[in-house]
Amino acid sequence: MITSLELKNFTAFRSLEIDFSPKINVIIGENGTGKTHLLKAAYTLSSGYKLFSKQSSVEASDLKNFLTERLIRLFLPLDNKLGKLHHTGAEEKAECTINFSLEQMLKISFFNNSQFVNIMENQNYKQYQKIPVFIPTKESLSFMEGMLSLYDRYKMTFDETYRDIWSLLDLPVIRSENLHEKSKWAIEEIESICGGKFIFYGGGRVNFKVKNIEYSANAIAEGFRKIGILSRLLETGAIQPGISGALFWDEPEGSINPKLMKLLVKILLELSRNGQQIIIATHDYVSLKWFDLLIDEQQEDEIIYHSLYREPENKELKVHSTKEYLEIYPNPIDEAFEALINAELDKTMGDLGR
């Protein structure tokens, strides 16, 4: 489990510390408050398995090179220069620190002219071999085949979270008896909603099957393709409650009809109850409210809401975290819907609606 993340002079963050729930974390904030950068920073620093699983012996220089390339491939800074991820105007070095359960941690640093990161602290980091999953904002099943081959052939420059998710989606399905019971339940629920299932043939080729008839994935609603990604990750074991690393999901509501959000939140809650850490970023009132309504204290649910905002005086990014929905502050999602309701009342009832 990821327990905390600290960022100093990194991208838009001057200084930020955030403690994560081992269950569900919901990150909100206006556009430009660093939600995706926060997700990617935690995802980058928890991706050491990519290096350690390939090499039996890993030197400090190997880890330094790996993390440098990882940051560049995930954040795509200007001119592919690591130093461009240094906070503009900051005189001190950038520092990124991640802590895991079982006293594992990693701390890196770099300056605005650095070509490689510096490993400041490394405590049992190699022992953290859990595989995190990052589901990007855009649906990716429909262009997976072509882009996967192009990426591997030409080392194309685009957000590597897509290459990562395609690799996990292309894994073989694990035996049904090895699937977690809640994974089986979630897969069945998703296939029922979609009216069929996505079939993966390797190399990124994906069709959608209804009974004995197959269709192009491009012919299927984008919202179904988006939620179908979760189903596939569950059936390949890329997401295994209690075994896999954190699930990062950037704007899961994208392309999904609000009517499906209740099911999606129920699935995420069930996964978290069985040991899956979940960290999502959202702009969606419906999903945010379903988390509030479906949380069950008797099942020991825990949701921490993290609200990113800029301080009015100096515009620095800060975070306010709470376990209570009504204590989320600031809450731009609620504020937007309150403004909408007030505008409706003003239009239909005038001053009587106040």
Side-chain angles (χ1 to χ4, degrees), residues 12 14-15 87 309-318:
R14 183 74 176 192
S15 180
H87 185 73
Y309 64 96
R310 291 187 181 275
E311 288 189 330
E313 300 82 10
N314 54 24
K315 303 302 180 183
E316 287 189 12
L317 285 172
K318 299 295 181 183

Side-chain angles (χ1 to χ4, degrees), residues 28-30 307-308 330-337:
I28 68 168
E30 296 184 29
S307 179
L308 291 168
N331 191 340
I333 298 175
D334 255 3
E335 291 168 4
F337 275 80

Side-chain angles (χ1 to χ4, degrees), residues 312-325:
E313 300 82 10
N314 54 24
K315 303 302 180 183
E316 287 189 12
L317 285 172
K318 299 295 181 183
V319 63
H320 175 255
S321 302
T322 178
K323 295 180 182 180
E324 302 296 329
Y325 179 86

Side-chain angles (χ1 to χ4, degrees), residues 136-137 139 222-230 249 251-252 254 256:
T137 303
E139 170 280 320
E222 187 171 343
F224 290 161
R225 297 199 299 262
K226 188 75 175 286
I227 199 170
I229 289 174
L230 178 59
W249 200 341
E251 298 183 22
I256 296 179

